[in-house]
Structure formats: structure tokens, C-alpha cells
Amino acid sequence: MMQRPLFRPEEYSLKETRPHLGGHAAGDKLTSTYDLVEQMQYLYVRVVKAKELPNMDITGGCDPYVEVKLGNYKGTTRFFEKNNNPEWNQVFAFSKERIQSSVVEIVVKDKDLVKDDFIGRVVFDLNEVPKRVPPDSPLAPQWYRLEDRHGHKVKGELMLAVWMGTQADEAFPEAWHSDAASVPGDGLASIRSKVYLTPKLWYLRVNVIEAQDLIPNDKTRFPEVYVKAMLGNQVLRTRVSASRTLNPMWNEDLMFVAAEPFEEHLMLSIEDRVAPGKDEVIGRTTISLQHVPRRLDHRLLTSQWYNLEKHVMIDGEQKKETKFSSRIHLRICLEGGYHVLDESTHYSSDLRPTAKPLWKPSIGILELGILTAQGLLPMKTKDGRGTTDAYCVAKYGQKWVRTRTIIDSFTPKWNEQYTWEVYDPCTVITIGVFDNCHLNGGEKANGARDTRIGKVRIRLSTLETDRVYTHSYPLIVLTPAGVKKMGEVQLAIRFTCSSLLNMMHLYSQPLLPKMHYVHPLSVMQVDNLRRQATNIVSTRLGRAEPPLRKEIVEYMLDVDSHMWSMRKSKANFFRIMGVLSPLIAVAKWFDQICHWRNPLTTILIHVLFVILVLYPELILPTIFLYLFLIGVWYYRWRPRQPPHMDTRLSHAETAHPDELDEEFDTFPTSRPPDIVRMRYDRLRSVAGRIQTVVGDLATQGERLQSLLSWRDPRATALFVVFCFIAAIVLYVTPFRVVVFLAGLYVLRHPRFRHRMPSVPLNFFRRLPARTDSML
């Protein structure tokens, strides 16, 4: 058996860092707009256009392109065929850390089959290049006369702008970077930074009411009809109508997820189940979502009749649409009052309803600085050695951001800063690190998948406002071989609150929009709709440039979080035990009080009990004062760092290899039958214990019910007589006296106790339950 590595808590812990943010140490007063990252200096060269280039070919043309050279780095523009006045408008960025030359050379060349011809060049001394700091206006490009290799002027001019700047420059995202010099041209698009917006998602409610004047193919029988609705890849069916007539009724809701812009049409068909596994279409209709009404609350909208069309065969080949008298009664609307869930509610980043008129004002700003990563492991092999091409993805609300890819580095430096509006503090931002496997372009990398390196979640409500948190987060992934640390990512995060009163007020508001409580969806519907929403989001983001691929979106949205895992089941069980442990500790402490283990404490409890009996109005103030003092006392040990992935809480370091293999198994399973049989037997064993516990809970509840059910006539008679006597005694006895005597009885000295169960407990255990009626 494989030996598992020893668990080292410090390896998976959060580490506080003090980077020089915006030129200042972390925690200082920061004033610039790009102040959560370290400044990175770049040499920018903007090649705009050229004019009056000489003819270089025999045919009298010129195929120009520009080569920007700085030491060993060389960037190239695209070339134009037969164009003496080309226009490129491309930007090149060279990291100042890697500059190994004192001059930058911009060379204009003519593309040729054998050897490219030299047309002319412009040379700049780096010591004379101006500096630019946003928000200064961009540097205006100027015309420069081309020179030959000896410095003599030649025909042709080149419009350029050369300046020193930082990553805050507007040209930075779209610039060619010297770090990516080894990436071919068709792979450059996949390494750029990008901001994405997810499509606006709506719930589409289709209330299928009834149909009229159906014309079945077989008129000798009453049809067994149902309605099938399709929207893109989503297919839903109603139940078979209970009224087997030509005017069936359903009154059933079908829920879909639709995304703007509405590209698909809603297609409905009424089908007749003529035999098991055989259905015939009676009629169909198509509805454009552009004309579907939108509602913001639960008020009913006007229903509408839609004519059905029927396809008939002519000559056995051609299909012809014919209209006839059959129609279907529908109530269709786009629900603007719901929040379309595309991520787990436990760590949602957005809780607003779809309709913008229902949005509340924002309460603050979230700023994230993605600084660096350290100690990344090699994710793939290139030229016989391990390499990693890392980039980050952050997701909060509808806005996704992707940093540029740092080529071939185990310690990449991104230093990119992003901002989000915050509408609810009880939300979570997710940051993932991935290895780019598409540097060779789309065709060569066909089928490749970007590899996950790790993920970080930060809940905004755990952050102090206006404080800059700079920490190094461990990147932890779970593999079939066990938990593995892939490196660390360094982040700077700040949550700025614009209105403390509005934020405090939100804590009294429902977490989800009103419609989720007025017209709630079933758990099954929520799961299905979330899966459809995730598919839509991943499809739309995968069509962007550069694409945010499906494996990235699914990992960030935790698509597989609902799958069975023995490890997660154990972790959740121990989480429940962690919640119950204070109650168990209080029960043990009270048992020690009752048994006089510490006489002084027991006497003090007696005194407190007598005071509360004599002055019952002090009970609630005492409880709240106690809770207040506990809260003030714990303030000294409040968490000073954001939460992070906890391997101990997740039971990742103690999971058995077979449990991990089961967790990473596909659905449906792809394992051999003997392994599946072993896991099934193990699951039956666990489920058997759960079944026993649930049965014991049901037994106690049924015993309570049998107190007055006369299932055991003698026991019920005893209980009824006891209740009558107790009512008389409690009526004539002051309540304080009863409580005082009951308290003294519970706290009595061990000398007056005996080890046998009490009379009420004996009586309760003898009550009947329905276990004897079970097979």
C-alpha cells in the first residue's frame, strides 16, 4: 500500500506578507488607483504606421512588417502585401527587469520568400525615453525618418511612440509582451489578460394549462398526451394528462434558464404515447423569447392561446407544415424577481435578482490585487524539462477576470488589479490558478485542457472594511493520490464600504430575492436549473477571445460539489459534531454540578438558581448579559486573517486512497465490477448505520405520540391521570415553588441519588412504537 505523507500544518497555512504596493509598504496610506500591486516597469513601443516606403520587389511592390528588437528579445508585427503605406497600430511591451541593452531598435523589413530585405530602422537610446504615469494622457506618436545601418537617412517614414510606463498603462492588456517571445502568433490570443461578463440569465416559466381540439392520428382511442418543451439543450416534459380526452388539461409549470441575447426559440410539441417507447407528435408550436413578457413579482400574467402546426408527409419524403384548429393554452413569462443560481448558495458571489429595477444600491467596492505565485510545481513537460505557464482567474458576481499568462515560470509575477461593485457583504470571491495548455494555438492544442493548480475563496463578511489584506494563500488540490500543495499565490484585497448603515441593514434582509420565498422552487428544480445555468455560462465564456474554457468555468463554479464523496461525508459528520460539542460540554458540566464534583461551584449555582426563582424577570437579562460578556471576551482572539482552504477540516489528509479514487470516478462509473461491488457494499454498511440512527429517532417520536393515542391503554390511562393530578397541584401551588422544588431535586446531593433510571424514563421507555409493525 502506498505510504501517505505526514501532515504538516504549517505547509498548508496562510502567511501574511508585506509587499511594496504601489511603491509603499502594505498597510500604509495608499492614494493611487493602482495601489494593490507592486509597480512593474515596462518599455512600451507603439508602432502606428509607415508611409512612402520604397519598392523592394522586382514587380515593384513592398510587403512590409516591423521588427522591434531589444537585446535578445524581438517582437514582430503582421505584414501587408503590396502596401507602401501600411498601418499596424500594435504595441510591444518589454519588462524592465529583463532589459539587457541600452538601445531599442525598430526595423522595417520587406517580407520575401528567401530572405527578408532590410528597408530602414529607427534607434532610441533608453536613457532618453520619456516616462509616463497614468492618468497622464497617452504619449502622442511622431513621424521618424528611416535610417540605414550606417545612420544615413533613407526613403520612408515610421510613426512611433516610445515610453517607459507600468502595468497600469492602458496599452498593457493588448500589448505583445517580451515574456511571450517564444509563443507562436496563433497562440498569442490565449495569453492576454481579459475581463469577461457573464450573460444575463433569466428563469423562463412555462405554465402549460390545457389544449383544445386535438386531432390524434389514431381516432379509435383516446390519446395519452403530454407536452414536451425544448429550449436549446434543455428538454422538459409534463406528466401525461389525467383527462383522456381531446381537450386535455395539465396546469403544470416547466422552468428553463434563458440567456440574453435570446438566441434560441422555445419549441413545444404535444405528443401521444401510443405504445411503450413510442410517441407520436400531434402538433407543435415555436415561440420567440423576444416577445415573452417579463414580470418582477408573483402577480399572474395574462395567458394566451397558441395555434398548433402539424407536419405531414407527402410522397414519403417531403414535409409540409399545415395549420389546423388545434391550439394550446399557455402562460409564459421571464421571471425577473429570482436570482438565477449558477454557483452553490454556500459561496455565492451574487444574490441580486435578474431584473435591474429590483437591485438595491451598492454598499461598497471590492479591490483585488493578484501579485505573484511562489513554488509552483511543473505541470507539463517541454523539451525534456518541466514547465508551467500560469495564469489566474477571479470570479465575483457577473464579472470574471483573467490575468495574462506568464510563460515558463514557477514564480510568475502578474501584479494586476481589478475592481468589483459589492451589493451584499455575505458573498464570496473565488480566485483560481491554472496552467495554460493552449500556447500553440487552437488547432495544435485541440483537445488539450488547461490544468487546475489551485483555488482560493474569500468571504467578504470576514474582512474588515478599508483594510488591505496581503497574504500568501496555499494552492491545494485533491488528487487520487491524496492532498497536494501546488504552490502559493500572493493576493492583496481590500473591501471599502460606502455606507456602513446600509451594510448593517442588509444583515436583517433575506439572503435571496423575495420571489424565492413567495413562490419557492423545489430542491430538484434548483439543482436542474443550476446545472443548465452553468452550461450556458461555460458555453458563452468559451466563445470569447481568449476563451474561458469549460473546465475553468466548472472548476470555479464547483459544478461537481453535489457528487457523493465518502471524505466529504466524514468531514460533514465531524462538522456537526463540532457544532454539538459545546452543547455536550455544557451537559457534562451540568452533570458535574448535579453530582457535586466541585462543591463550591454547585453552591454558587444553587444561589444563582434561588435568585432567578425569586426574581424571574432577571432570567432573560442574565442570559443576554452572559452572551455579551462572552462576545467581548472572545474579541481579543478574533481572527486576524481571512479564511482559506483547510485540509484538516476537509479530511483531505486522512482520506483512504480508495475513497479518493471513488471521489474522482466518473458518473456513471468507469471502474471494474469487483471494485464497484466493494464500494457498494461499503456504502450499504454506512447507510445501514444511518438507517439505524434514523429509526431510533423515529422510535422516540412515536413513543411521544403514543402517550395520548391509547395504543397502550394502561400507559395512556396512567399518563392521563398523572396530567389531571399535575394540573390540580400546579393550579393551587405557586409556580415559583414548583420551579424551586424541581431545581432542588435536579441539583440534589449524590447521597440522595441512586444509579437506577428514574421513574419517568422507565415509563417512557416502556411506551410502544411502530417498530413492531415494520417488515
Side-chain angles (χ1 to χ4, degrees), residues 168-184:
D169 202 292
E170 295 89 346
F172 181 80
E174 297 299 324
W176 174 94
H177 289 270
S178 57
D179 300 341
S182 62
V183 179

Side-chain angles (χ1 to χ4, degrees), residues 651-703:
H651 276 252
E653 75 278 1
T654 58
H656 190 274
D658 184 69
E659 295 175 359
L660 295 175
D661 183 69
E662 179 183 22
E663 185 171 342
F664 284 90
D665 191 9
T666 57
F667 189 88
T669 182
S670 58
R671 298 296 183 265
D674 54 339
I675 294 180
V676 175
R677 186 181 299 110
M678 181 270 292
R679 290 174 180 169
Y680 175 64
D681 291 340
R682 181 176 62 197
L683 188 60
R684 289 176 63 192
S685 175
V686 174
R689 296 173 200 158
I690 298 174
Q691 171 184 287
T692 302
V693 172
V694 173
D696 290 343
L697 292 175
T699 297
Q700 308 310 320
E702 289 169 352
R703 283 173 175 167

Side-chain angles (χ1 to χ4, degrees), residues 160-218:
L160 298 170
V162 182
W163 73 96
M164 294 293 299
T166 67
Q167 73 271 37
D169 202 292
E170 295 89 346
F172 181 80
E174 297 299 324
W176 174 94
H177 289 270
S178 57
D179 300 341
S182 62
V183 179
D186 55 352
L188 284 175
S190 67
I191 68 171
R192 290 199 176 104
S193 59
K194 184 78 173 181
V195 175
Y196 308 84
L197 291 177
T198 55
K200 190 174 185 180
L201 300 178
W202 295 78
Y203 283 149
L204 174 68
R205 186 185 296 272
V206 181
N207 180 220
V208 183
I209 304 173
E210 59 181 329
Q212 279 188 356
D213 303 328
L214 296 183
I215 304 176
N217 296 329
D218 184 1

Side-chain angles (χ1 to χ4, degrees), residues 8 29 39 47 50 54 129 207 243 257 317 353 385 491 512 519 555 557 559 601 609 632 638 648 665 704 725 764:
R8 298 181 296 278
K29 183 67 176 177
Q39 293 289 344
V47 180
V129 171
N207 180 220
S243 55
V257 178
E317 294 181 358
R385 62 181 183 86
L491 305 173
L512 292 169
H519 206 315
Y555 180 59
L557 295 179
V559 171
T601 305
F609 173 71
V632 171
R638 67 191 184 279
R648 188 184 295 276
D665 191 9
L704 283 173
I725 297 173
F764 183 77

Side-chain angles (χ1 to χ4, degrees), residues 208 214 223-229 236-241 248 250 252 269-274 278-280 282-283 328:
V208 183
L214 296 183
E224 298 182 22
V225 293
Y226 65 90
V227 176
K228 183 171 78 171
L236 294 177
R237 295 175 174 83
T238 66
R239 66 185 185 280
V240 174
S241 175
W250 294 277
E252 189 172 338
S269 61
I270 298 181
E271 302 190 7
D272 180 15
R273 185 160 294 166
V274 296
K278 183 181 180 182
D279 301 325
E280 291 182 354
I282 295 179
I328 186 170

Side-chain angles (χ1 to χ4, degrees), residues 688-722:
R689 296 173 200 158
I690 298 174
Q691 171 184 287
T692 302
V693 172
V694 173
D696 290 343
L697 292 175
T699 297
Q700 308 310 320
E702 289 169 352
R703 283 173 175 167
L704 283 173
Q705 291 177 337
S706 65
L707 283 172
L708 296 172
S709 68
W710 295 92
R711 187 176 179 85
D712 183 340
R714 286 167 294 278
T716 303
L718 285 172
F719 181 71
V720 169
V721 171
F722 169 78

